[in-house]
Amino acid sequence: MIQLIDPALDAYSEKHSHQPIPLLQELEAYTYKHCKWPQMVTGSVQGALLRMLVQLTHAKRILEVGLFTGYSALTMAEVLPEDGSITSCEIDEGNAAVARSFIDRSPHGHKINICMGPALETIAGLDGQYDLIFLDADKENYCSYYDQLLPILRSGGLLIADNVLWSGRVLEPKEETDHAVVAFNDKVSNDPTVEVVLLTVRDGVSLIRKK
Ligand SMILES: C[S@@+](CC[C@H](N)C(=O)[O-])C[C@H]1O[C@@H](n2cnc3c(N)ncnc32)[C@H](O)[C@@H]1O
């Protein structure tokens, strides 16, 4: 696994970015103490990036694929207007229970609607278009999600895909998941209907704008 950035620079970046509110700090600490694979939590720098993008795009309808313990959903909800909404897909009841316990304590929690079940099925049943979509679930299905999500992203809307560097494994893919992330990145960069920038933030974040 490649360390993408010097940990000291990571800490510097964290210190000089927007600071998360105490509830989010508590959520991150709780996740590290009690949950399996806590490193999946979005964390403060990527959280600051998400809230910046929500504000810059003036997004009102957000779809999230992969709620986990709710860090990214709560971060985005904080800067959404009162009539904004986040639909968040999650398959694991334990993760959703933790997320709910923190969402219930947030004054912005009412903007978040959790949809339980396999996200491909949930998305197939959604109505309307979204301004911003955050893709952060099972990497094996990233290409299938892309095919499903682009039609429900409005023109000019933003799709944010996480873990697109997959800890550097995209350079020498071995496992099925590695190949899935490579296939996703190739698909997006060859798609003339979108414009993309792959940022080397954390585990790689692609910003994909639908033309
Ligand atoms: C990387 S975590 C999401 C992190 C989250 N966005 C955050 O900020 O903390 C991925 C989540 O996707 C969920 N997931 C995995 N496969 C799924 C599927 N097929 N449908 C819905 N959720 C799924 C996992 O249970 C996990 O909670």
Side-chain angles (χ1 to χ4, degrees):
M1 214 188 278
I2 298 173
Q3 176 74 49
L4 294 177
I5 185 163
D6 183 327
L9 280 176
D10 243 347
Y12 186 86
S13 158
E14 196 168 323
K15 189 170 166 205
H16 293 83
S17 296
H18 174 85
Q19 297 300 302
I21 57 167
L23 185 69
L24 284 171
Q25 293 174 13
E26 189 187 330
L27 168 54
E28 185 168 13
Y30 182 94
T31 303
Y32 270 86
K33 194 159 178 208
H34 300 284
C35 302
K36 227 166 146 186
W37 301 306
Q39 68 282 1
M40 295 198 301
V41 81
T42 284
S44 68
V45 172
Q46 205 178 326
L49 176 64
L50 286 177
R51 47 177 289 145
M52 181 72 80
L53 291 170
V54 170
Q55 292 171 98
L56 289 175
T57 57
H58 305 288
K60 272 177 88 170
R61 278 197 98 212
I62 296 180
L63 173 62
E64 173 175 75
V65 187
L67 168 76
F68 191 40
T69 53
Y71 194 104
S72 46
L74 273 170
T75 303
M76 294 189 285
E78 236 187 274
V79 291
L80 263 185
E82 263 312 291
D83 59 345
S85 67
I86 301 178
T87 299
S88 185
C89 308
E90 180 53 54
I91 201 166
D92 184 284
E93 189 44 58
N95 292 342
V98 175
R100 268 187 218 104
S101 69
F102 282 88
I103 288 168
D104 287 348
R105 290 170 54 197
S106 164
H108 306 283
H110 63 279
K111 301 172 195 167
I112 302 170
N113 171 32
I114 301 174
C115 293
M116 293 305 299
L120 286 170
E121 287 175 24
T122 302
I123 297 163
L126 295 175
D127 286 326
Q129 297 240 303
Y130 291 85
D131 304 311
L132 186 148
I133 301 177
F134 182 40
L135 175 58
D136 191 18
D138 43 331
K139 313 306 156 196
E140 296 83 352
N141 283 317
Y142 261 33
C143 282
S144 305
Y145 286 128
Y146 189 71
D147 292 339
Q148 258 194 331
L149 294 172
L150 262 203
I152 59 169
L153 180 65
R154 74 162 169 81
S155 285
L158 183 66
L159 170 62
I160 306 167
D162 197 16
N163 307 107
V164 289
L165 290 175
W166 204 226
S167 304
R169 288 185 289 255
V170 286
L171 295 181
E172 257 184 72
K174 292 191 181 80
E175 309 288 323
E176 188 192 337
T177 325
D178 309 345
H179 287 286
V181 177
V182 169
F184 174 79
N185 290 332
D186 290 345
K187 189 177 173 75
V188 174
S189 60
N190 287 313
D191 182 352
T193 71
V194 301
E195 186 174 319
V196 58
V197 54
L198 194 164
L199 302 176
T200 53
V201 173
R202 217 162 166 243
D203 194 24
V205 181
S206 276
L207 305 185
I208 304 160
R209 182 183 164 276
K210 184 172 168 179
K211 290 179 187 167

